[in-house]
Amino acid sequence: MSFTLAIVGRPNVGKSTLFNRLVGRKLALVDDQPGVTRDLREGEAKLGHMRFTVIDSAGLEEATDDSLQGRMRRLTERAVEMADACLFLIDARAGVLPADEVFADILRRKNAHVILAANKAEGRAGESGLLEAYALGLGEPIRLSAEHGEGMTDLAQVLAPLIEEVDARAEADAPVTDVDVDEEGEDDGPRVPTVERPLQIAVVGRPNAGKSTLINKILKDERLLTGPEAGITRDAISVRTEWEGTPIRIWDTAGMRKKARIDDKLEKLSVSDGLRAVKFAEVVVVLLDVNIPFETQDLRIADLAEREGRAVVVAVNKWDLEDEKQDKLRELKESFERLLPQLRGAPLVTVSGKTGRGLDRLHAAILKAHEVWNRRVTTGQLNRWLAGMLEQHPPPAPGGRRIRMRYMTQVKARPPGFVVMTSHPESVPESYSRYLVNGLRADFDMPGTPIRLWLRDQGDKNPYKDKARKAPPSKLRKHLGPKKRPDR
């Protein structure tokens, strides 16, 4: 395992800004208001030639009860305990506050390697705060400016010996492995998830549907912040694990409400982050609340996943609270088929994120959806199938122009995409395209997965179509008379 660095400190000292600087991308949400980050976010950091894992944590609060701030503090303390080193940030412009002194004492007891850094120390405004940092008893502070990238060389010099020590220890303990990766013919069959390329899963839904609780149960660890409050999750947090033998990377996303109800700038950033997670995912789990399933926003989220071309699994959470399970399940299936016809046949699974019941069925449904999403059909099979579909239901002839569909092939997978070479593709009605898509879904066992169908003009093969009609040479001679021999 690589070296792990946890960034901790009071709210709004610049932890997420430094995290984004180290990973080289704007992964963590950044805003002027304090307390933006709530969960632990991991990223692969690059600093010079060094590579290591960095953890962005929630701002340390003095609360120790079961309030939201207290739960955030306990989650941050866990990150400190699991990290190889801890980078304690203070705000050089604000100076050392009483809370900084309390947290410095806590960090000394919980982590052997604590690195002190004074952020926002550019210019003269941070001089006094930098000098005050010596009083914390954590050694010489590093002068940083995460926003402008100042002090990164000094940070690298402090981290270098720690990273070398951890890497040497990991190399000595690492087992011998021999992994062959076949990069050719990637689309020739379903991709088998590996540790290097795990199955990408995004869990999306409305606020308070139980997404974080469900993921914690899958991880078998209280890794994500949960609670009765709606909208706790803000960042789209990804976690790698192995679920029943399948290497996965699962994304917890912020709850998505209607745009008309979103006034807060931070919530808009959170929703945008969740939409980005959907684009990275291979399988999207749309999580519904059994008490209020298939509301308008649920339908929009499911439709978004389908339009993005992702495999979709619909999971109904809090199933342990339902008394009339059989009647409720029958009602859910009827509503699903009626309200989401574009996902007809997609798996519908009932789960309980609190008790863990139904997680085995959810795992099987995700693997099945992923296999269908990767499915390929040979050209020979497709053209024999197309001939049968045309014979059973020929395409219409709008305006008296006969439509001829000559050839069909699959051009992509993930999701499956097909091309039909036809005459007059612009005249093919949408209803006939749906007829072909539904036939593909039924005859080649592709329930629920998005299917893309393109109609292309094969072109007219008649070489004389646009040429003027010319009289044959024999008829021309009759008008011109006999061919005369030149005079000698």
Side-chain angles (χ1 to χ4, degrees), residues 83-350:
D84 297 302
C86 175
L87 180 62
F88 181 40
L89 278 191
I90 68 166
D91 188 340
R93 298 190 177 186
V96 176
L97 303 183
D100 292 321
E101 298 175 353
V102 173
F103 298 142
D105 185 58
I106 295 174
L107 293 175
R108 271 194 298 267
R109 295 196 305 268
K110 287 186 173 292
N111 196 297
H113 299 290
V114 180
I115 303 168
L116 177 62
N119 192 30
K120 306 180 185 179
E122 67 274 13
R124 294 184 178 180
E127 289 287 352
S128 60
L130 182 66
L131 295 175
E132 290 178 13
Y134 283 92
L136 293 174
L138 295 175
E140 182 180 354
I142 302 174
R143 182 171 187 161
L144 290 180
S145 173
E147 186 171 357
H148 299 96
E150 298 177 7
M152 294 297 110
T153 303
D154 296 335
L155 178 61
Q157 290 177 352
V158 175
L159 289 177
L162 300 177
I163 294 176
E164 290 176 2
E165 178 184 349
V166 172
D167 289 348
R169 188 166 61 244
E171 185 177 350
D173 298 336
V176 178
T177 59
D178 185 12
V179 180
D180 294 326
V181 180
D182 182 14
E183 296 182 353
E184 296 182 0
E186 183 185 9
D187 288 338
D188 292 342
R191 182 180 73 80
V192 178
T194 62
V195 176
E196 293 79 11
R197 295 184 60 197
L199 176 60
Q200 310 270 3
I201 304 171
V203 181
V204 300
R206 289 182 293 107
N208 214 26
K211 298 181 290 297
S212 300
T213 303
L214 177 69
I215 294 176
N216 280 342
K217 188 61 68 172
I218 292 173
L219 299 174
K220 299 179 181 178
D221 185 17
E222 295 299 317
R223 171 68 173 75
L224 302 172
L225 190 63
T226 61
E229 304 92 346
I232 289 179
T233 303
R234 286 175 171 172
D235 292 80
I237 304 297
S238 67
V239 184
R240 287 175 179 259
T241 188
E242 188 171 286
W243 184 15
E244 296 187 12
T246 305
I248 66 169
R249 184 185 185 191
I250 190 165
W251 297 79
D252 182 24
T253 61
M256 301 179 186
R257 299 192 299 163
K258 294 180 180 179
K259 285 185 178 180
R261 297 182 181 178
I262 300 177
D263 298 322
D264 186 32
K265 170 191 172 185
L266 185 56
E267 187 174 354
K268 292 180 181 179
L269 292 174
S270 300
V271 172
S272 299
D273 208 29
L275 298 178
R276 189 165 59 92
V278 171
K279 295 180 181 180
F280 281 126
E282 297 172 292
V283 181
V284 174
V285 177
V286 180
L287 197 65
L288 311 180
D289 188 332
V290 68
N291 298 314
I292 43 174
F294 295 113
E295 285 201 336
T296 304
Q297 188 64 2
D298 293 321
L299 303 179
R300 289 176 177 171
I301 293 171
D303 185 62
L304 165 71
E306 192 276 337
R307 284 188 283 109
E308 288 292 338
R310 302 299 178 258
V312 178
V313 174
V314 178
V316 183
N317 194 23
K318 306 180 183 179
W319 192 244
D320 55 303
L321 303 178
E322 181 60 40
D323 296 326
E324 302 295 332
K325 289 183 168 52
Q326 293 299 324
D327 294 339
K328 188 66 173 182
L329 183 59
R330 192 180 307 111
E331 178 186 343
L332 288 171
K333 290 182 178 179
E334 186 275 330
S335 300
F336 183 30
E337 294 181 0
R338 175 171 50 86
L339 298 173
L340 290 171
Q342 69 272 35
L343 292 174
R344 184 176 291 118
L348 176 67
V349 186
T350 56

Side-chain angles (χ1 to χ4, degrees), residues 378-395:
T378 65
T379 301
Q381 289 176 310
L382 285 173
N383 283 289
R384 288 191 294 270
W385 172 84
L386 180 62
M389 295 292 284
L390 295 176
E391 183 178 352
Q392 181 180 350
H393 186 187

Side-chain angles (χ1 to χ4, degrees), residues 365-433:
I366 289 174
L367 292 185
K368 175 64 176 177
H370 183 253
E371 186 271 329
V372 173
W373 190 63
N374 281 272
R375 184 159 298 169
R376 295 191 67 86
V377 185
T378 65
T379 301
Q381 289 176 310
L382 285 173
N383 283 289
R384 288 191 294 270
W385 172 84
L386 180 62
M389 295 292 284
L390 295 176
E391 183 178 352
Q392 181 180 350
H393 186 187
R401 295 189 300 179
R402 185 178 177 184
I403 296 175
R404 295 181 179 178
M405 295 186 174
R406 300 182 175 91
Y407 181 78
M408 185 175 185
T409 187
Q410 183 174 1
V411 294
K412 65 183 290 291
R414 308 167 194 165
F418 304 89
V419 167
V420 177
M421 307 302 293
T422 178
S423 62
H424 313 300
E426 71 284 352
S427 301
V428 178
E430 185 66 27
S431 59
Y432 199 81
S433 296

